[in-house]
């Protein structure tokens, strides 16, 4: 494995730190979109753990999975220096009242979660209320991760691909067809270190890295981890097909 990936190392890229990283973060999508067994998680962490910074239990999947599995998966992630986040489930708990949300935060802490996600769009609460939830999470010893998406009218949605609500026009397209103005404003206001974007496929991942460099934080499916790390590599140049193999095409 080490010989095969000799072309890329963190030492070669002085701008990309080793774990734990504040930027150049790769967060991996966990159960919900696909079933991840403990064996598969173990294989991913053992073979690509140095490239994985976070694991997210997407879409409230942690509410359906046995707690014993969650605890074991979280312990496995922590052994490989991977933080673990809930998906957008907190808003469902808030419907039962503040006390239910406090219980949810405590349960997440007991299970070993590091981060609780708050879906700002689904919550639909004033900013001060959202900040109160953030403080409650932080007081519980966990990190809060607000998530938001940009809403469009149906007539404005030309395709299915998106990056946190920023839709991509079907082929043919230019590099600016992915609402680059909105993404630039978010990064300009918050900075690279405090933002993370969902890259639903390899094309979006490549767009983000070409535009903002290898230090952009991305949330991807577990099947994209190695391809994403190849894209982050400093010696690939414009044509990275020689590294990814001829069967991998982005355009």
């Amino acid at each position: 494995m080490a010989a095969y990936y000799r072309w890329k190392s963190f030492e070669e890229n002085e701008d990309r730190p080793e774990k734990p990283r504040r930027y150049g973060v790769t967060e991996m999508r966990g159960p919900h979109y696909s079933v991840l067994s403990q064996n598969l998680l173990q294989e991913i962490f053992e073979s690509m753990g140095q490239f994985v910074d976070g694991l997210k239990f997407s879409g409230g999947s942690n509410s359906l999975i046995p707690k014993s599995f969650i605890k074991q998966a979280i312990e496995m992630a922590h052994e490989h220096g991977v933080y673990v986040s809930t998906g957008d489930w907190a808003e469902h708990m808030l419907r039962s009242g503040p006390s239910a949300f406090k219980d949810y935060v405590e349960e997440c802490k007991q299970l070993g979660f590091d981060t609780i996600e708050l879906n700002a769009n689904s919550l639909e609460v004033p900013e001060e209320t959202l900040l109160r939830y953030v403080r409650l999470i932080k007081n519980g010893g966990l990190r809060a991760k607000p998530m938001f998406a940009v809403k469009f009218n149906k007539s404005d949605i030309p395709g299915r691909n998106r990056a946190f609500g920023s839709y991509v026009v079907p082929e043919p397209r230019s590099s600016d067809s992915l609402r680059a103005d909105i993404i630039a404003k978010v990064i300009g206001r918050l900075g690279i270190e405090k933002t993370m974007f969902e890259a639903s496929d390899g094309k979006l991942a490549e767009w983000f890295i070409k535009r903002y460099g290898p230090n952009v934080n991305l949330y991807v499916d577990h099947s994209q981890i190695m391809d994403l790390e190849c894209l982050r590599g400093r010696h690939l140049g414009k044509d990275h097909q020689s590294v990814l193999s001829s069967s991998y095409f982005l355009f």
Side-chain angles (χ1 to χ4, degrees):
M1 181 66 72
Y4 182 78
Y5 293 110
R6 188 169 51 192
W7 56 270
K8 168 73 171 64
S9 71
F10 291 121
E11 288 77 17
E12 293 174 353
N13 191 339
E14 297 177 357
D15 294 331
R16 185 125 180 274
E18 294 187 19
K19 294 165 58 175
R21 288 182 279 268
R22 293 179 301 159
Y23 49 84
V25 170
T26 296
E27 184 170 290
M28 182 180 79
R29 179 185 293 133
H32 176 60
Y33 295 97
S34 59
V35 177
L36 287 183
S37 66
Q38 289 188 14
N39 289 338
L40 181 54
L41 280 175
Q42 185 69 35
E43 291 175 359
I44 291 174
F45 291 145
E46 288 183 353
S47 63
M48 298 180 286
Q50 62 176 316
F51 308 136
V52 181
D53 299 274
L55 168 66
K56 173 177 162 180
F57 282 77
S58 307
S61 57
N62 53 290
S63 66
L64 302 175
I65 300 173
K67 293 181 180 179
S68 58
F69 178 95
I70 294 175
K71 292 188 71 171
Q72 292 174 2
I74 291 176
E75 290 174 359
M76 188 187 307
H78 287 167
E79 290 174 358
H80 291 83
V82 175
Y83 70 81
V84 186
S85 172
T86 68
D88 52 346
W89 188 248
E91 63 271 18
H92 297 282
M93 305 305 300
L94 285 167
R95 293 170 185 169
S96 300
S99 60
F101 184 71
K102 289 181 180 180
D103 293 340
Y104 173 65
V105 173
E106 181 60 29
E107 181 181 53
C108 289
K109 183 177 181 179
Q110 293 299 321
L111 289 172
F113 280 100
D114 304 287
T115 303
I116 292 180
E117 186 174 274
L118 292 172
N119 189 325
N121 294 81
S122 299
L123 288 172
E124 297 182 343
V125 295
E127 181 178 340
E128 180 53 40
T129 303
L130 180 63
L131 292 176
R132 187 168 69 248
Y133 296 151
V134 170
R135 288 192 292 268
L136 196 155
I137 293 171
K138 294 180 69 175
N139 289 339
L142 303 176
R143 290 176 295 180
K145 181 172 64 175
M147 184 187 81
F148 70 93
V150 180
K151 294 183 178 180
F152 293 88
N153 294 325
K154 290 184 177 180
S155 59
D156 296 329
I157 302 176
R160 296 182 179 180
N161 293 335
R162 56 180 170 175
F164 268 32
S166 302
Y167 288 82
V168 181
V169 178
E171 299 288 346
R173 68 183 184 216
S174 68
S175 60
D176 292 328
S177 61
L178 184 153
R179 290 312 301 271
D181 56 333
I182 296 177
I183 295 172
K185 288 179 181 178
V186 171
I187 292 179
R189 181 69 63 88
L190 300 177
I192 282 286
E193 293 184 13
K194 296 182 179 179
T195 55
M196 176 174 289
F197 296 91
E198 179 177 356
S200 58
D201 57 35
K203 295 178 181 178
L204 286 176
E206 183 172 35
W207 184 90
F208 275 110
I209 290 174
K210 280 185 174 180
R211 181 62 63 96
Y212 294 104
N215 293 330
V216 64
N217 303 322
L218 294 177
Y219 168 58
V220 300
D221 187 74
H222 71 279
S223 62
Q224 295 176 248
I225 293 172
M226 189 56 69
D227 293 342
L228 174 57
E229 197 58 32
C230 288
L231 290 172
R232 292 190 192 275
R234 66 181 297 186
H235 299 308
L236 298 183
K238 294 183 179 180
D239 182 7
H240 54 267
Q241 290 185 16
S242 60
V243 178
L244 295 176
S245 83
S246 59
S247 62
Y248 189 93
F249 296 98
L250 291 180
F251 290 114

